[in-house]
Amino acid sequence: MTAVRHVDVLVVGAGPAGLTAAAALAARGVGRVEVLERQRTPGGMPRSCAHGGFGTWHRPLTGPRYARGLVEAAARAGAVLRTGVTALDWTGPLDLATVGPEGHRTIRARAVVLATGARERPRTARLVPGTRPAGVYTTGELQQAVHLYGQPVGTRAVIVGVEDVSYAAAGTLRRAGTAVVALVTDLPGHRTAPARALDTRLRRGVPLLTGTTVTELLGHGRLSGVRVRHHDGRTAVLPCDTVVFTGDFVPDHELARRGALTLDPRTRGPAVDGALRTSRPGVFAAGNVLHAVERAATAAREGTYVAASVAASLAGGDWPAGVPLTVDPPLRWITPGRVTPADALPYTLRTAARLTRPLVEVGQDGRVLHRERVHGAAAGRSLTLTARWTVRVDPDGGPVRVRVV
């Protein structure tokens, strides 16, 4: 029988959310705070993002430098980081079975924070047929191969996707000496900043094929090309020895699912309220496991916020059910997906259509709780809504709805 080891707070995942939460909790003196990371190196996605865009306006950082800062802050605060350790399954309400360099262990905590992040759907999950040659990557695999391990990639690459991460993949390929043949998407246009898309197309000479789908991978041993189909039915073969499937992130919710925690049907991450409490007392969730995928700064902000919620819970705070929070089209989802009157964490919404300075209305049972004109966003991008209205929510009332008016 595996011995049970006790900690006060167990954080699963050493990305921006998990490390920030661990640092804040250790600094609060809540007891032993332990972070589990299945990778050998903590830091999450930023550690393999060698480009800028992290840190603050006053102190911009590359991804690896940003990740090192988070790791150092957590360790300096007194949190214990254990890498190469995988949380396998729940053996009790707050017990987790793990496996790592020391073998199998069971860890019992007073509170658990799930910060397992998100992952990109690979070629198999996207049901792209064809052979199984070498040279097929997701963005994360590409960045790790190039930036962490210095492995050669290929000479000519096709990128599937047109999001920010797709253009970051193009930069990584250029740095590896790989020519980008084209960016391919079934959408009508890109989903990044116009200046970035224009720079890639005009200055870098990378064509953008819209309304186009990769229908087959070709080649044996090594990729020799991809077959594509345009929206009008025409087909073509793009010769290449590398293809990178980008974007299409999903929450890494396996541990939440195995624990029978309630999942949000729209985001597919754990359903939480504004204090980031899940459906199981003592279990919290933060970061991109809630909303694949947002910026590292957003995940880190939630890490700080969840630390305060965990500390309050350990001090004897209650575990209210919360009122369901839903959205009307063109909004796709909102997180957190439940609300209590004391919530203060800003809400993240994702839109399915371009919105320019939309007026967002929050209502419950025919009452208007709040109206706010927020910054717009393109389709597939996020908007932020303040939580100042939560004090007006009736905890015994019906669902709270958010819509664009």
Side-chain angles (χ1 to χ4, degrees), residues 227-280:
R227 192 183 307 280
V228 297
R229 183 179 63 241
H230 300 285
H231 61 85
D232 59 4
R234 291 179 297 121
T235 63
V237 172
L238 303 178
C240 61
D241 57 14
T242 304
V243 61
V244 186
F245 289 94
T246 66
D248 200 358
F249 287 94
V250 293
D252 200 340
H253 64 194
E254 182 64 17
L255 205 55
R257 189 184 63 80
R258 294 186 69 86
L261 272 62
T262 301
L263 300 182
D264 186 310
R266 299 196 182 194
T267 65
R268 292 184 283 180
V272 294
D273 64 12
L276 303 181
R277 293 174 287 228
T278 70
S279 58
R280 177 180 296 178

Side-chain angles (χ1 to χ4, degrees), residues 63-375:
R65 182 66 194 90
Y66 177 75
R68 284 197 298 275
L70 294 179
V71 173
E72 292 165 2
R76 193 167 51 245
V80 177
L81 273 60
R82 300 178 61 220
T83 59
V85 179
T86 300
L88 298 173
D89 205 350
W90 303 85
T91 57
L94 299 176
D95 297 358
L96 280 168
T98 68
V99 64
E102 300 174 347
H104 289 268
R105 295 285 186 273
T106 296
I107 303 176
R108 177 169 298 166
R110 297 171 59 206
V112 176
V113 179
L114 300 180
T116 47
R119 54 184 167 79
E120 287 177 295
R121 295 207 311 151
R123 170 258 183 110
T124 50
R126 303 183 195 215
L127 303 179
V128 178
T131 55
R132 301 177 65 85
V136 181
Y137 298 87
T138 61
T139 314
E141 292 169 344
L142 172 72
Q143 290 176 327
Q144 290 197 25
V146 174
H147 297 311
L148 295 186
Y149 305 116
Q151 297 173 342
V153 181
T155 58
R156 291 168 57 82
V158 167
I159 297 174
V160 182
V162 285
E163 302 176 24
D164 286 340
V165 68
S166 315
Y167 288 85
T172 299
L173 288 166
R174 282 196 301 272
R175 195 168 303 181
T178 305
V180 179
V181 175
L183 286 99
V184 177
T185 179
D186 57 355
L187 299 172
H190 63 78
R191 286 183 170 178
T192 190
R196 191 178 196 182
L198 201 62
D199 177 79
T200 301
R201 185 166 62 87
L202 297 182
R203 193 162 72 89
R204 304 291 183 182
V206 179
L208 171 61
L209 305 182
T210 58
T212 304
T213 306
V214 173
T215 58
E216 185 180 4
L217 303 189
L218 307 173
H220 297 279
R222 181 78 194 193
L223 186 75
S224 62
V226 297
R227 192 183 307 280
V228 297
R229 183 179 63 241
H230 300 285
H231 61 85
D232 59 4
R234 291 179 297 121
T235 63
V237 172
L238 303 178
C240 61
D241 57 14
T242 304
V243 61
V244 186
F245 289 94
T246 66
D248 200 358
F249 287 94
V250 293
D252 200 340
H253 64 194
E254 182 64 17
L255 205 55
R257 189 184 63 80
R258 294 186 69 86
L261 272 62
T262 301
L263 300 182
D264 186 310
R266 299 196 182 194
T267 65
R268 292 184 283 180
V272 294
D273 64 12
L276 303 181
R277 293 174 287 228
T278 70
S279 58
R280 177 180 296 178
V283 180
F284 299 78
N288 280 328
V289 70
L290 300 178
H291 43 53
V293 63
E294 295 293 332
R295 294 170 56 85
T298 302
R301 181 183 64 190
E302 292 176 358
T304 302
Y305 192 82
V306 79
S309 299
V310 171
S313 176
L314 293 178
D318 56 2
W319 202 270
V323 177
L325 185 58
T326 62
V327 295
D328 289 346
L331 301 174
R332 289 175 53 197
W333 51 252
I334 185 169
T335 184
R338 288 184 287 127
V339 56
T340 61
D343 295 342
L345 180 68
Y347 292 85
T348 300
L349 304 100
R350 191 72 58 86
T351 174
R354 174 177 289 279
L355 297 174
T356 304
R357 294 286 291 164
L359 180 61
V360 176
E361 180 182 278
V362 184
Q364 182 186 29
D365 298 334
R367 292 186 301 130
V368 175
L369 305 179
H370 178 72
R371 275 187 173 179
E372 178 182 354
R373 194 169 293 283
V374 303
H375 289 291

